[in-house]
Amino acid sequence: MEGNMMTTLNLVLMGLPGAGKGTQAQKIVDEFKIPHISTGDIFRAAMKNGTEMGIEAKKYIDQGNLVPDSVTDGIVEERLSEDDTNAGFMLDGYPRNIDQAHALETMTTKLDKSINAVINIHVDPAVLVERLSGRFICKNCGATYHKLYNPPKVEGTCDVCGHHEFYQREDDKPETVKNRIAVNTKLNTPLIDFYNEKKLLYTVNGDQDINDVYKEIQKVLRAI
Ligand code: ADP
Ligand code: AMP
């Protein structure tokens, strides 16, 4: 893929909480230079800033439930209306249910865009609790680490930006994690069927080394 031959990448990254969406998104963005649109990140920024939307979203996020579609769909449509998405984009964590998938279709049609691949990172739910309980994030740039599986190269220093402060997500507490995985597992199968029928679905094995997961993703992206 080079020069004018390059297809615009309009991607959806799917996977249960902890499957590795954020981790792989960092790599995709580095290589393919497309905006990373994570609804989870947008909600966390709004909560941090104490906006009305953030206060509303917090009620659901703290319980591990989904924020209502009426809020989430609007945020995504607004973001996809920005000019930087004309050269491609990657949605991470949206859509998360079948109604959101329909809403996405309506909004992309309206905006004269179309999704060209849905990458589903498949991981057995049994390993997700351990992944999420060991996750920590750079306070400055949002890079994601794991205390066992993906620690920073230099302990206490972010590989990406060099900062030294990290945090754990409130909703990564074991009780919230269980509900998040249950809620998302139930909603995941209809979404997989939906994109499979449209021949947009590419499933990669997320239960292997982070770099090997990325190699599978690269293969998919280079083929489209
Ligand atoms: P998601 O965005 O899908 O919720 P993350 O990318 O934040 O998931 O990954 C969840 C946790 O698992 C993080 O701590 C991350 O460092 C770790 N992780 C990501 N991919 C892998 C992998 N292939 N093997 C082991 N741990 C991983
Ligand atoms: P994430 O960072 O993707 O794990 O998302 C964190 C939380 O934000 C989720 O548990 C939901 O409460 C909320 N959220 C993120 N994306 C969506 C979405 N597409 N629909 C509804 N809620 C969402």
Side-chain angles (χ1 to χ4, degrees), residues 20 73 108 118 121 129:
D73 293 340
T108 48
V118 175
I121 307 179
V129 175

Side-chain angles (χ1 to χ4, degrees), residues 39-40 44 61 65-67 72 93-94 96 100 169 180:
T39 40
R44 279 183 291 280
I61 292 175
N65 294 323
L66 292 195
V67 176
T72 312
Y94 182 94
R96 247 176 164 112
Q100 291 183 3
R169 275 170 49 173
R180 281 168 61 211

